[in-house]
Amino acid sequence: MHSKLDFAPEEIRSYLKVTGWSPVSGGALAELWSLPGPAEEVVLVPMKPGAPDFDKRTRILVEDLARIESRTVHAVHSAIATVYHDVTDLRASHPSLSDGSIPLEAGYELFLSARRLRVASAAAAIRRQGHFRNFPTRARDQAREVRLGQTRRGSYIVPIISQARSPEDVYAPQQEHIDIQVEETLFDRRVTATMSRALGVLEEMVGAEREPTPSEIADSVGEGVSYELCQALSKVVKSDSVAALDITFNWSQVAAPPPGSSPHVEFNEAAINIVNRVSDHLKTQLYTHEHIIYGVITDLSRRPEDETGRVGIETLIKRRRRTVWIDLPDRNYHQAVRCHDLGVPVRVRGVLSSPPGGHATMEVSDFGPDPSLGTNE
């Protein structure tokens, strides 16, 4: 059991809610929660972190939940502590690894791979291009903002812990402005979703019975695949120390898994040979890069006779609020109206023009509800 509790009443209450518990009674100091069923289980939730017995009461609660759920205390503790987080497990395996340890060089590459995967995915969450050469500053910052959990036995597992969402509701219907703090939190989830989708597409390409075509590789760039992402995989599975790298995405229980995301991907030596060929292609071919913006719709304008509607999206550009103006055809415009009315954030991909002091505009190639948030609009 951890000696230090790294969660608060908000995490406890959210965890209980998503696992079927309901509050019965309580006040400022503690609440009683019950679990429907023949056993009529009831637990006490301490509500005041500053109280002298808060840690003791919380440990008793975790032990009760472990008994009720037939899980270890450590597993329940971790589940509560990460209820607002996604945990991405990187596992290096080899038939000769039987004691849960790994050669130093392979372990070093695995930790570097965790960083490379996050930075490459963060770059793809900002721009879609086959070879970055220079990462956006926001992408490089990502490696400093996510956390690494303790390595776990099971060959050798390194967990990347990233935020999925904040305890509060993300946005309300007809939201007038984005919240910078909320957007910073959501960027972590968007990076994880991009990583999952891109690795899933890459796994599909290497799992086919034929070589991926140039057209398929070009399409994969639009899904977040890049030379740098391929290299992050290749540099782990490159020696006798590691036979395969598999990655499992454990999505937060309070934020639905992004549609189209892959829960688990695996790359062995044979797969990496194809990844390297994809990598070589991406390094030598030039693709028109497209920006990705996320935000809320704040302006809608359309006359009955118009074939397109004008939409204003408030987003973050270089971590500052900007309104980006886009023109959408009929079907997408009506989708934008629904997103605005429901308070659903959107994701837009296209060529961005953002002159200093002028209006920011985008030529749109893809528009819809932000898929990384698991929102079904």
Side-chain angles (χ1 to χ4, degrees):
M1 175 68 182
H2 292 64
S3 58
K4 179 180 181 297
L5 295 169
D6 46 10
F7 49 77
E10 276 184 341
E11 281 87 350
I12 297 171
R13 297 177 87 253
S14 291
Y15 177 78
L16 290 174
K17 184 177 179 181
V18 298
T19 52
W21 294 77
S22 301
V24 177
S25 62
L29 293 177
E31 292 180 346
L32 289 177
W33 285 62
S34 69
L35 181 67
E40 295 184 1
E41 298 283 1
V42 176
V43 294
L44 183 142
V45 178
M47 295 298 295
K48 203 170 183 63
D53 63 344
F54 178 79
D55 282 4
K56 177 182 177 181
R57 294 294 180 188
T58 303
R59 287 191 175 92
I60 293 172
L61 168 64
V62 172
E63 290 167 1
D64 286 343
L65 292 174
R67 171 184 57 80
I68 294 165
E69 297 177 13
S70 299
R71 294 208 289 170
T72 66
V73 168
H74 176 82
V76 174
H77 180 283
S78 297
I80 297 173
T82 59
V83 72
Y84 294 126
H85 293 78
D86 298 319
V87 181
T88 306
D89 287 334
L90 275 65
R91 184 173 74 100
S93 60
H94 192 282
S96 65
L97 301 179
S98 59
D99 62 351
S101 68
I102 193 171
L104 177 61
E105 183 179 353
Y108 173 71
E109 286 294 343
L110 184 62
F111 277 92
L112 283 182
S113 178
R115 180 185 185 279
R116 292 174 182 134
L117 284 170
R118 288 302 297 191
V119 175
S121 300
I126 299 168
R127 294 200 306 263
R128 297 290 164 89
Q129 58 190 83
H131 184 14
F132 284 90
R133 295 178 178 86
N134 294 305
F135 286 122
T137 301
R138 183 71 181 92
R140 292 196 301 269
D141 289 344
Q142 175 68 192
R144 292 191 289 270
E145 293 169 3
V146 297
R147 299 174 1 238
L148 279 179
Q150 294 180 343
T151 55
R152 296 201 292 269
R153 296 181 73 86
S155 291
Y156 197 83
I157 297 174
V158 173
I160 305 173
I161 302 171
S162 57
Q163 290 181 295
R165 57 160 293 172
S166 60
E168 299 80 20
D169 289 333
V170 177
Y171 286 123
Q174 300 184 21
Q175 184 84 19
E176 293 185 3
H177 296 285
I178 59 172
D179 183 302
I180 292 179
Q181 190 60 47
V182 168
E183 286 299 306
E184 292 288 353
T185 299
L186 295 180
F187 185 72
D188 272 5
R189 160 51 76 103
R190 289 161 176 157
V191 171
T192 307
T194 301
M195 182 194 300
S196 172
R197 178 62 183 159
L199 291 176
V201 169
L202 195 55
E203 186 185 50
E204 288 174 7
M205 284 198 295
V206 302
E209 295 181 356
R210 53 174 177 75
E211 289 280 319
T213 66
S215 175
E216 288 170 336
I217 295 174
D219 289 343
S220 76
V221 173
E223 300 291 350
V225 175
S226 66
Y227 166 80
E228 289 75 13
L229 186 83
C230 294
Q231 286 294 294
L233 297 173
S234 177
K235 287 180 179 179
V236 178
V237 189
K238 68 172 187 177
S239 68
D240 293 336
S241 301
V242 176
L245 173 70
D246 65 79
I247 302 170
T248 303
F249 295 90
N250 305 291
W251 301 104
S252 164
Q253 291 179 280
V254 297
S261 60
S262 299
H264 178 89
V265 294
E266 181 172 349
F267 298 90
N268 56 23
E269 187 177 352
I272 290 299
N273 289 335
I274 301 176
V275 169
N276 285 335
R277 289 196 282 277
V278 173
S279 176
D280 292 341
H281 185 88
L282 292 172
K283 188 177 182 180
T284 57
Q285 298 296 313
L286 292 177
Y287 298 101
T288 302
H289 74 258
E290 295 183 311
H291 285 82
I292 308 283
I293 63 169
Y294 309 86
V296 295
I297 294 171
T298 55
D299 294 273
L300 293 159
S301 174
R302 184 187 181 190
R303 293 175 299 188
E305 65 273 17
D306 289 345
E307 293 184 358
T308 63
R310 190 78 162 165
V311 177
I313 300 169
E314 191 168 88
T315 186
L316 289 186
I317 297 178
K318 295 183 178 179
R319 294 188 167 179
R320 293 187 177 183
R321 285 193 186 99
R322 290 287 300 273
T323 297
V324 176
W325 296 93
I326 61 175
D327 292 317
L328 293 177
D330 185 72
R331 177 178 174 276
N332 288 138
Y333 183 80
H334 286 295
Q335 192 177 36
V337 171
R338 290 194 297 274
C339 288
H340 172 261
D341 290 346
L342 296 173
V344 174
V346 297
R347 183 188 72 178
V348 191
R349 176 160 56 95
V351 179
L352 176 67
S353 174
S354 180
H359 290 296
T361 60
M362 177 176 272
E363 294 181 23
V364 178
S365 60
D366 185 64
F367 170 87
D370 183 357
S372 58
L373 306 184
T375 303
N376 296 314
E377 181 269 326

